């Protein structure tokens, strides 16, 4: 039998490795920025075109490379970061695998200019699909410039899976924020299609956060600082009142490396227990410093997952540290049930001597004097006898008889019920065919039995199809605001709003100026309360940060789902009989009345036979 196992060629192995290391343009940005930091750069420039699909360029002023090192750096498992296996447990650099440049060069056109301080001239390399096209001498400043063009040019299937330039740019901004937050001492410059997005000078962590997320975030930050034998924790958390439904401002850094850790995130959330709503998420920028020998980074090629030796101790320390910061800065009220506040000495009396209290007696006080004045008082207003009062009751008996005869008159009940159709007279007969159960379900009768409808999901379906129709035919109606709303957002959030602005206008939103960190709204849809505009836009941004927004249809779908979920009747709201009937009729007039926009069942049918079986 012939041998069938063969060694793969290098260019094929590199393309396979690239599938793990390079998932999208943001992955390339992350690897190149980390290489620049490991090279000791003090200033790094990032240049992007068309969301990184056309060009990604990183320029640094680091130590640079010789011509030999420049050529060798594109080989697999070639690195200057580690020398032996033991170095994996004492890592002080970002990279250590030696796979990034080889993987990038296998799926793109790469150009490198590099020079060390000792060399008079540098090296210029051109590589296309792992093949070196040219290597020549070039005049270039100290440091390294990497240009990655035409990403996935030789893997069309992967290139077709790339999303729009706006979505890819958003992912690049996220990676840029993570790297720049971890290294506040390095100056960063970010250019997109010739426009400067970020200009971050060398600063401390607080100033770096402000430069990235805007000046208004300064008032949200609460410092965190704790040093133990296990871990040193520093950074900032957001005040509880600024918790949002989106997970935008949540950053963990371990030894200046961004990580994801649901376990540590739960520690932060538990520290905010009782201070924020369950559906909201606190913001935080936390820097953890631990012994490199106590963690394992070599788990995933993206190096965002870390294995800790003692996670339980870390969890307890992090949770108590955040609680301490919340209490120390009077964010969280502290209650002491053993103290009696009435017995504490006021601050202004603490230095006064104790004296016997004195009693002052007013010898001229006459308790009967005031009463005598009252008896002699005559008001200026004198009640005049009403003439002709008998005419008010003429015909009262006839009116009572008419009211008794008219049984269609309804009186206001003690319970004030809400209506989702306010301001409109009902055209429905007020027959008792529906009733509300537990302020959550609407029960209505049909020929074969009855239907139990989830009122919130039913209203979501009605609003969802209505918003889809409005966006499709561009028939949204808006109401102008007397005073425009000015809402503060981060630069990346404003970019998302700018991207979906057209669809928001078709729904009924009217925008004024959209600046880098502020959005002006002059009109809202008829069904949107002014007080909920900020919450709705936060939810929209959270949904658009997910990966499933690809094209115009996805934008329309996400927008309709978010608006319908935010504006639908909630569980616990009381509906009057007219609103119940209207909701039932509108539901069964929908094209898809069985499931909500989020594919959850809306109603269940209980037939008469099902009820009969209960009595057997």
């Amino acid at each position: 039998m012939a041998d069938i196992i063969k060694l793969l060629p290098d260019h094929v192995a590199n393309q396979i490795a690239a599938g793990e290391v390079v998932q999208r343009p943001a992955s390339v940005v992350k690897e190149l920025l980390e290489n620049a930091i490991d090279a000791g750069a003090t200033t790094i420039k990032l240049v992007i075109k068309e969301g990184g699909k056309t060009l990604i360029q990183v320029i640094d002023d680091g130590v640079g490379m010789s011509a030999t090192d420049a050529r060798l750096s594109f080989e697999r498992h070639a690195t200057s970061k580690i020398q032996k296996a033991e170095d994996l447990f004492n890592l002080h650099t970002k990279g250590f695998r030696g796979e990034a440049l080889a993987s990038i060069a296998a799926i793109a056109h790469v150009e490198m200019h590099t020079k060390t301080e000792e060399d008079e001239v540098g090296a210029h390399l051109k590589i296309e699909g792992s093949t070196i096209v040219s290597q020549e001498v070039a005049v270039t400043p100290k440091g390294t410039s990497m240009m990655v063009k035409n990403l996935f040019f030789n893997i069309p299937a992967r290139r077709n899976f790339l999303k729009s330039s706006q979505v890819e740019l958003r992912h690049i901004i996220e990676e840029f924020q993570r790297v720049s937050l971890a290294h506040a001492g390095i100056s960063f410059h970010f250019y997109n299609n010739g426009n400067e997005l970020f200009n971050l000078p060398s600063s401390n962590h607080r100033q770096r956060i402000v430069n990235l997320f805007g000046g208004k975030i300064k008032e949200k930050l609460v410092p965190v600082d704790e040093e133990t034998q296990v871990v040193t924790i520093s950074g900032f958390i957001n005040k509880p009142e600024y918790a949002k439904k989106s997970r935008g401002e949540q950053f963990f850094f371990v030894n200046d490396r961004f990580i994801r850790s649901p376990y540590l995130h739960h520690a932060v959330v538990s520290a905010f227990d009782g201070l924020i709503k369950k559906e909201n998420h606190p913001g935080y920028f936390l820097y953890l410093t631990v012994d490199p020998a106590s963690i394992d980074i070599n788990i995933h090629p993206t190096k965002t997952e870390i294995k800790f030796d003692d996670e339980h101790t870390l969890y307890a320390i992090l949770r108590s540290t955040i609680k301490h910061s919340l209490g120390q800065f009077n964010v969280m009220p502290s209650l002491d049930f053993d103290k009696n506040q009435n017995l504490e000495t006021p601050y202004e009396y603490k230095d006064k001597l104790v004296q016997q209290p004195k009693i002052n007696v007013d010898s001229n006080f006459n308790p009967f004097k005031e009463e005598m004045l009252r008896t002699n008082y005559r008001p200026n207003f004198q009640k005049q006898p009403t003439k002709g009062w008998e005419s008010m009751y003429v015909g009262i008996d006839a009116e009572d008889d008419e009211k008794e005869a008219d049984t269609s008159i309804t009186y206001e009940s003690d319970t004030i019920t809400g209506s989702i159709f306010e301001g409109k007279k009902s055209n429905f007969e007020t027959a008792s065919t529906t009733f509300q159960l537990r302020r959550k379900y609407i029960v209505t009768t049909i020929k074969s039995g009855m239907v139990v409808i989830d009122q919130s999901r039913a209203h979501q379906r009605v609003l969802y199809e209505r918003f889809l129709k409005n966006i499709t035919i561009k028939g949204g109606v808006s109401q102008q605001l007397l005073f425009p709303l000015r809402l503060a957002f981060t630069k990346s959030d404003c970019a998302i709003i700018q991207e979906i602005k057209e669809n928001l206008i078709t729904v009924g939103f009217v925008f004024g100026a959209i600046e880098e960190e502020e959005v002006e709204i002059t009109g809202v849809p008829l069904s949107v309360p002014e007080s909920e505009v900020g919450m709705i836009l936060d939810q929209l941004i959270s949904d658009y940060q997910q990966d499933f927004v690809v094209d115009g249809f996805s934008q329309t779908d996400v927008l309709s789902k978010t608006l319908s979920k935010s504006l639908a009747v909630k569980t616990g709201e009381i509906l009057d009989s007219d609103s119940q009937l209207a909701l039932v009729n509108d539901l069964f007039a929908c094209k898809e009345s069985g499931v909500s926009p989020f594919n959850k069942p809306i109603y269940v049918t209980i037939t008469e036979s099902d009820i009969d079986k209960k009595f057997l």
Side-chain angles (χ1 to χ4, degrees), residues 208-219:
R208 177 55 55 87
I209 294 171
V210 171
N211 290 336
L212 277 172
F213 296 95
K216 294 187 178 181
I217 199 174
K218 190 181 297 184
E219 62 186 16

PDB file of all heavy atoms in Angstrom, residues 208-219:
ATOM      1  N   ARG A 208      -6.303  58.983  29.229  1.00  0.00           N
ATOM      2  CA  ARG A 208      -6.459  58.166  28.025  1.00  0.00           C
ATOM      3  C   ARG A 208      -7.923  57.769  27.843  1.00  0.00           C
ATOM      4  O   ARG A 208      -8.451  57.773  26.722  1.00  0.00           O
ATOM      5  CB  ARG A 208      -5.556  56.934  28.116  1.00  0.00           C
ATOM      6  CG  ARG A 208      -5.652  55.950  26.959  1.00  0.00           C
ATOM      7  CD  ARG A 208      -5.409  56.583  25.592  1.00  0.00           C
ATOM      8  NE  ARG A 208      -4.176  57.289  25.451  1.00  0.00           N
ATOM      9  CZ  ARG A 208      -3.006  56.743  25.091  1.00  0.00           C
ATOM     10  NH1 ARG A 208      -2.956  55.457  24.829  1.00  0.00           N
ATOM     11  NH2 ARG A 208      -1.927  57.505  24.953  1.00  0.00           N
ATOM     12  N   ILE A 209      -8.612  57.431  28.939  1.00  0.00           N
ATOM     13  CA  ILE A 209     -10.034  57.089  28.862  1.00  0.00           C
ATOM     14  C   ILE A 209     -10.840  58.290  28.376  1.00  0.00           C
ATOM     15  O   ILE A 209     -11.729  58.162  27.523  1.00  0.00           O
ATOM     16  CB  ILE A 209     -10.538  56.604  30.233  1.00  0.00           C
ATOM     17  CG1 ILE A 209      -9.871  55.282  30.615  1.00  0.00           C
ATOM     18  CG2 ILE A 209     -12.058  56.438  30.226  1.00  0.00           C
ATOM     19  CD1 ILE A 209     -10.138  54.842  32.031  1.00  0.00           C
ATOM     20  N   VAL A 210     -10.514  59.469  28.894  1.00  0.00           N
ATOM     21  CA  VAL A 210     -11.229  60.682  28.486  1.00  0.00           C
ATOM     22  C   VAL A 210     -10.977  60.983  27.013  1.00  0.00           C
ATOM     23  O   VAL A 210     -11.902  61.358  26.265  1.00  0.00           O
ATOM     24  CB  VAL A 210     -10.802  61.871  29.371  1.00  0.00           C
ATOM     25  CG1 VAL A 210     -11.369  63.180  28.832  1.00  0.00           C
ATOM     26  CG2 VAL A 210     -11.259  61.648  30.803  1.00  0.00           C
ATOM     27  N   ASN A 211      -9.744  60.818  26.543  1.00  0.00           N
ATOM     28  CA  ASN A 211      -9.433  61.091  25.136  1.00  0.00           C
ATOM     29  C   ASN A 211     -10.135  60.123  24.191  1.00  0.00           C
ATOM     30  O   ASN A 211     -10.472  60.484  23.064  1.00  0.00           O
ATOM     31  CB  ASN A 211      -7.917  61.013  24.911  1.00  0.00           C
ATOM     32  CG  ASN A 211      -7.173  62.167  25.569  1.00  0.00           C
ATOM     33  OD1 ASN A 211      -7.751  63.232  25.797  1.00  0.00           O
ATOM     34  ND2 ASN A 211      -5.910  61.956  25.893  1.00  0.00           N
ATOM     35  N   LEU A 212     -10.377  58.895  24.659  1.00  0.00           N
ATOM     36  CA  LEU A 212     -11.027  57.908  23.802  1.00  0.00           C
ATOM     37  C   LEU A 212     -12.544  58.028  23.811  1.00  0.00           C
ATOM     38  O   LEU A 212     -13.190  57.903  22.768  1.00  0.00           O
ATOM     39  CB  LEU A 212     -10.626  56.491  24.240  1.00  0.00           C
ATOM     40  CG  LEU A 212      -9.296  55.962  23.724  1.00  0.00           C
ATOM     41  CD1 LEU A 212      -8.957  54.644  24.395  1.00  0.00           C
ATOM     42  CD2 LEU A 212      -9.319  55.781  22.211  1.00  0.00           C
ATOM     43  N   PHE A 213     -13.125  58.279  24.992  1.00  0.00           N
ATOM     44  CA  PHE A 213     -14.578  58.213  25.137  1.00  0.00           C
ATOM     45  C   PHE A 213     -15.232  59.568  25.384  1.00  0.00           C
ATOM     46  O   PHE A 213     -16.434  59.627  25.629  1.00  0.00           O
ATOM     47  CB  PHE A 213     -14.948  57.254  26.276  1.00  0.00           C
ATOM     48  CG  PHE A 213     -14.546  55.837  26.015  1.00  0.00           C
ATOM     49  CD1 PHE A 213     -13.351  55.350  26.501  1.00  0.00           C
ATOM     50  CD2 PHE A 213     -15.345  54.997  25.261  1.00  0.00           C
ATOM     51  CE1 PHE A 213     -12.958  54.033  26.263  1.00  0.00           C
ATOM     52  CE2 PHE A 213     -14.974  53.693  25.021  1.00  0.00           C
ATOM     53  CZ  PHE A 213     -13.782  53.204  25.513  1.00  0.00           C
ATOM     54  N   GLY A 214     -14.481  60.646  25.319  1.00  0.00           N
ATOM     55  CA  GLY A 214     -15.071  61.964  25.450  1.00  0.00           C
ATOM     56  C   GLY A 214     -14.947  62.523  26.853  1.00  0.00           C
ATOM     57  O   GLY A 214     -14.813  61.794  27.847  1.00  0.00           O
ATOM     58  N   GLY A 215     -15.012  63.857  26.939  1.00  0.00           N
ATOM     59  CA  GLY A 215     -14.825  64.529  28.212  1.00  0.00           C
ATOM     60  C   GLY A 215     -15.931  64.274  29.213  1.00  0.00           C
ATOM     61  O   GLY A 215     -15.721  64.410  30.423  1.00  0.00           O
ATOM     62  N   LYS A 216     -17.128  63.909  28.742  1.00  0.00           N
ATOM     63  CA  LYS A 216     -18.245  63.727  29.662  1.00  0.00           C
ATOM     64  C   LYS A 216     -18.133  62.452  30.484  1.00  0.00           C
ATOM     65  O   LYS A 216     -18.885  62.262  31.438  1.00  0.00           O
ATOM     66  CB  LYS A 216     -19.560  63.729  28.884  1.00  0.00           C
ATOM     67  CG  LYS A 216     -19.865  65.078  28.246  1.00  0.00           C
ATOM     68  CD  LYS A 216     -21.242  65.127  27.619  1.00  0.00           C
ATOM     69  CE  LYS A 216     -21.529  66.503  27.041  1.00  0.00           C
ATOM     70  NZ  LYS A 216     -22.869  66.593  26.430  1.00  0.00           N
ATOM     71  N   ILE A 217     -17.204  61.576  30.116  1.00  0.00           N
ATOM     72  CA  ILE A 217     -17.053  60.341  30.894  1.00  0.00           C
ATOM     73  C   ILE A 217     -16.291  60.605  32.194  1.00  0.00           C
ATOM     74  O   ILE A 217     -16.310  59.776  33.107  1.00  0.00           O
ATOM     75  CB  ILE A 217     -16.311  59.263  30.062  1.00  0.00           C
ATOM     76  CG1 ILE A 217     -16.559  57.882  30.659  1.00  0.00           C
ATOM     77  CG2 ILE A 217     -14.829  59.565  29.968  1.00  0.00           C
ATOM     78  CD1 ILE A 217     -15.997  56.749  29.843  1.00  0.00           C
ATOM     79  N   LYS A 218     -15.666  61.794  32.297  1.00  0.00           N
ATOM     80  CA  LYS A 218     -14.864  62.090  33.491  1.00  0.00           C
ATOM     81  C   LYS A 218     -15.718  62.074  34.758  1.00  0.00           C
ATOM     82  O   LYS A 218     -15.281  61.608  35.808  1.00  0.00           O
ATOM     83  CB  LYS A 218     -14.180  63.443  33.315  1.00  0.00           C
ATOM     84  CG  LYS A 218     -13.139  63.760  34.374  1.00  0.00           C
ATOM     85  CD  LYS A 218     -12.526  65.130  34.152  1.00  0.00           C
ATOM     86  CE  LYS A 218     -11.782  65.196  32.835  1.00  0.00           C
ATOM     87  NZ  LYS A 218     -11.103  66.503  32.662  1.00  0.00           N
ATOM     88  N   GLU A 219     -16.944  62.578  34.651  1.00  0.00           N
ATOM     89  CA  GLU A 219     -17.812  62.624  35.825  1.00  0.00           C
ATOM     90  C   GLU A 219     -18.383  61.262  36.200  1.00  0.00           C
ATOM     91  O   GLU A 219     -18.936  61.096  37.285  1.00  0.00           O
ATOM     92  CB  GLU A 219     -18.963  63.593  35.573  1.00  0.00           C
ATOM     93  CG  GLU A 219     -19.848  63.193  34.411  1.00  0.00           C
ATOM     94  CD  GLU A 219     -20.898  64.238  34.087  1.00  0.00           C
ATOM     95  OE1 GLU A 219     -20.754  65.378  34.549  1.00  0.00           O
ATOM     96  OE2 GLU A 219     -21.852  63.900  33.358  1.00  0.00           O
TER      97      GLU A 219
END
